[in-house]
Amino acid sequence: MSPTPDVNWILNDLVNFPETRHAVVLSADGLMVGTSADVDRELADTVSAIASGMQSLSRRGATFVQNEPTPWEQTMVSFTDGFLFLLTAAEGAYLVVSAGRDVDIEALSYRMRKTIDSLGPALRVAPRHNLVSPA
């Protein structure tokens, strides 16, 4: 498996957007790939597992939107004190960002998409293969 590039620097830049708190990139199987500086390993692992489940559930909702297959792009969850955004970032990777209640949702969504676009294929996470040989 090839090494994953360091995306932490661009996540640190992303959380400089007003009212933005944390950012994590995760693989499709729920493993943390990179974080903004303010996210410790325990929080990153927890958020990655949660976000992995969220994207899976969100994808299943596509048939409620349209009978024909339609790709999932983003999920937003609203809390009393803020928001959680989850976006498809690249093949096998997702971006999850938290922000305060007063965030400009449209501007932050645009900024997240531009961040993803600027990283392009660097965010791609290759599928993991079973490395254990059969007994």
Side-chain angles (χ1 to χ4, degrees), residues 14-112:
L14 179 60
V15 297
N16 285 330
F17 188 83
E19 291 290 315
T20 305
R21 294 181 178 152
H22 308 294
V24 175
V25 172
L26 63 134
S27 65
D29 54 359
L31 299 177
M32 183 271 298
V33 174
T35 69
S36 55
D38 55 342
V39 178
D40 65 26
R41 182 63 189 225
E42 183 178 350
L43 179 58
D45 288 344
T46 300
V47 168
S48 294
I50 291 166
S52 178
M54 286 175 57
Q55 65 82 21
S56 179
L57 291 169
S58 295
R59 286 177 190 283
R60 295 292 299 158
T63 55
F64 190 68
V65 174
Q66 179 174 313
N67 290 336
E68 299 299 317
T70 184
W72 166 81
E73 294 177 358
Q74 178 175 332
T75 298
M76 182 183 82
V77 181
S78 176
F79 297 92
T80 300
D81 294 322
F83 300 93
L84 184 143
F85 300 89
L86 176 62
L87 288 85
T88 185
E91 185 179 343
Y94 305 98
L95 172 64
V96 60
V97 174
S98 67
R101 190 87 196 146
D102 295 327
V103 70
D104 181 333
I105 294 171
E106 185 177 354
L108 178 57
S109 292
Y110 177 79
R111 176 84 178 262
M112 289 183 294

Side-chain angles (χ1 to χ4, degrees), residues 4-5 89-93 119-127:
T4 305
E91 185 179 343
L119 285 171
L123 284 176
R124 185 181 179 284
V125 177

